[in-house]
Amino acid sequence: MEFTVGTMQKLAELLTPPEPEVIQGDDLPSKGFDISASRNEAPPVENNKPKTIEEYEEEEAKELEKLGQVGSGLGDRRTPEYTMNYQQSVSAEDVYLQIGPKTPSSASCENLIVRINLPGDKKENVDLSVNNTSVTVSSPQYLLKLPLPHGIDPDRSKANWDSDQETLMLTLRLDREFDFVNF
């Protein structure tokens, strides 16, 4: 038998598995619009991610500033100014004798003190909601949704209103897993 180009092509056709019968795009009737694919094209990449810690902190500060402005998605209410401090009960034996297990770190603190300045509001207009992980303060002028750095015990926490300074002071009792070690 002679191996010519024609016989080689016929042999290749015999050895190639048959293609399944699939309707191709050319076989479909035209609808008057073009179909295109962009599989090989990469989508545009937004490169707005911060590259350094300073850039990240600047973006975070801008976002917090936007939240504090009127009309920032919270209706016409602003985010009030607030501070958080830890409080530790210290006795004479802790100070002078240094017998107790307490240290100056926040691990030995029992309370988290949150002071929220609400200028122009009254005690009657302030709505306070406290759960284990967050505090929500709402008034006609202000709205604050504050996640807490530690879990708290809402039943052992207190709230006081200072009418002279128009400040809500929360004494939140910390509820941490290993408090029995620190106290």
Side-chain angles (χ1 to χ4, degrees), residues 1 7 17 20 31 34 48 51 60 62-63 67 91 95 98 100 130 149 155 165-167 183:
M1 178 168 196
T7 48
K31 299 286 185 186
D34 292 332
N48 295 342
K51 294 179 182 171
E60 193 174 71
K62 287 178 186 176
E63 288 178 15
L67 280 176
S91 66
V95 175
Q98 297 179 355
V130 179
D155 297 330
Q165 304 220 349
E166 296 175 327
T167 301
F183 304 116

Side-chain angles (χ1 to χ4, degrees), residues 2 11 14 19 25 28 32 43 58 68 72 77 80 85 89 116 121-122 128 144 150-151 153 174-175:
E2 230 177 275
L11 184 61
L14 283 173
E19 292 187 22
L28 297 173
E58 285 176 16
S72 61
R77 297 187 286 179
N85 296 317
S89 299
I116 305 167
D121 272 334
K122 296 180 181 177
L128 174 64
L144 176 65
H150 298 286
D153 184 1
L174 294 174
D175 184 26

Side-chain angles (χ1 to χ4, degrees), residues 75-100:
D76 59 349
R77 297 187 286 179
R78 296 175 290 172
T79 302
E81 291 183 13
Y82 65 91
T83 59
M84 285 184 174
N85 296 317
Y86 290 99
Q87 182 184 43
Q88 187 178 93
S89 299
V90 180
S91 66
E93 65 183 26
D94 294 325
V95 175
Y96 298 110
L97 302 176
Q98 297 179 355
I99 295 175

Side-chain angles (χ1 to χ4, degrees), residues 11-26:
L11 184 61
E13 287 176 16
L14 283 173
L15 296 175
T16 306
E19 292 187 22
E21 296 205 16
V22 177
I23 298 176
Q24 300 295 323
D26 298 336

Side-chain angles (χ1 to χ4, degrees), residues 42-174:
V45 178
E46 291 185 23
N47 220 0
N48 295 342
K49 295 181 181 175
K51 294 179 182 171
T52 63
I53 293 174
E54 289 81 13
E55 289 177 8
Y56 175 79
E57 288 175 349
E58 285 176 16
E59 283 186 20
E60 193 174 71
K62 287 178 186 176
E63 288 178 15
L64 287 174
E65 189 175 321
K66 283 181 187 176
L67 280 176
Q69 294 174 349
V70 175
S72 61
L74 302 173
D76 59 349
R77 297 187 286 179
R78 296 175 290 172
T79 302
E81 291 183 13
Y82 65 91
T83 59
M84 285 184 174
N85 296 317
Y86 290 99
Q87 182 184 43
Q88 187 178 93
S89 299
V90 180
S91 66
E93 65 183 26
D94 294 325
V95 175
Y96 298 110
L97 302 176
Q98 297 179 355
I99 295 175
K102 292 186 180 180
T103 65
S105 71
S106 64
S108 294
C109 294
E110 293 92 6
N111 297 319
L112 177 64
I113 307 297
V114 180
R115 288 181 182 87
I116 305 167
N117 296 329
L118 301 167
D121 272 334
K122 296 180 181 177
K123 176 182 175 181
E124 298 81 29
N125 297 336
V126 176
D127 183 32
L128 174 64
S129 173
V130 179
N131 64 29
N132 294 349
T133 58
S134 68
V135 171
T136 303
V137 178
S138 177
S139 75
Q141 295 181 27
Y142 298 99
L143 177 65
L144 176 65
K145 294 182 180 182
L146 183 64
L148 299 172
H150 298 286
I152 64 159
D153 184 1
D155 297 330
R156 294 174 56 199
S157 300
K158 297 185 292 185
N160 293 318
W161 176 258
D162 183 0
S163 56
D164 294 335
Q165 304 220 349
E166 296 175 327
T167 301
L168 179 64
M169 190 167 102
L170 305 175
T171 305
L172 306 172
R173 183 70 173 187
L174 294 174

